[in-house]
Amino acid sequence: MAAFLGTRPTAIRTVWPEGLVEVSVDGASGWLPESEGDALRGAPRADTGTVRLLPPGDPFLQARDRSLLLPEKDRQKELWRAIGGPGAVLAGSEIVGTWRARASGRRVEVTVTAFDALSAAVRRALETEAQTVAEVRGAKEALLLIE
């Protein structure tokens, strides 16, 4: 918590609430109200059919503990660049690739660089997301390129 808030552990100890229990998810420790433990253990995995193109500045991508979002160090380097970083392709609760958009006349080219092979359902959902990006940018059509 101290790292998340950008302070020292001694400052947190004085305001740490009672009734929290330590939990571990995928080897990472955290704290949770004891009453929420069952909800965490019984939480369903996100539907991978829900696909979103998150822009580089999206708050979801600004987490301090990036290894929870994307455990592989080489993929972290691809996504979180100091200058000109791409957006993230989110399928369910997993980051499955990066994306960039480029205007080309009356259309927008959306290039997705997948970390692994994408299912047909994810590819179809990406078509819809690419069209949304094009519309927001004032273009008539989208061209989706998957690398």
Side-chain angles (χ1 to χ4, degrees), residues 39-125:
L40 175 66
R41 285 185 286 280
R45 292 193 64 71
D47 176 16
T48 57
T50 303
V51 176
R52 295 290 179 256
L53 295 176
L54 302 180
D58 191 271
F60 183 76
L61 300 175
Q62 303 308 313
R64 285 188 180 259
D65 195 353
R66 293 175 172 174
S67 64
L68 286 177
L69 297 178
L70 193 58
E72 300 86 356
K73 295 285 185 196
D74 58 329
R75 292 179 178 176
Q76 288 177 16
K77 289 178 185 177
E78 290 178 46
L79 181 59
W80 289 289
R81 296 182 182 180
I83 298 173
V89 178
L90 186 67
S93 61
E94 305 292 326
I95 295 175
V96 298
T98 62
W99 71 279
R100 294 182 183 276
R102 184 179 68 124
S104 178
R106 298 183 73 143
R107 79 174 172 199
V108 171
E109 292 179 3
V110 176
T111 302
V112 170
T113 303
F115 294 145
D116 296 307
L118 300 175
S119 70
V122 169
R123 288 173 173 268
R124 282 190 302 275

Side-chain angles (χ1 to χ4, degrees), residues 14-36:
T14 62
V15 296
W16 195 253
E18 292 184 23
L20 297 182
V21 293
E22 189 171 9
V23 295
S24 177
V25 177
D26 294 335
S29 294
W31 296 89
L32 183 71
E34 190 171 10
S35 62
E36 298 298 321

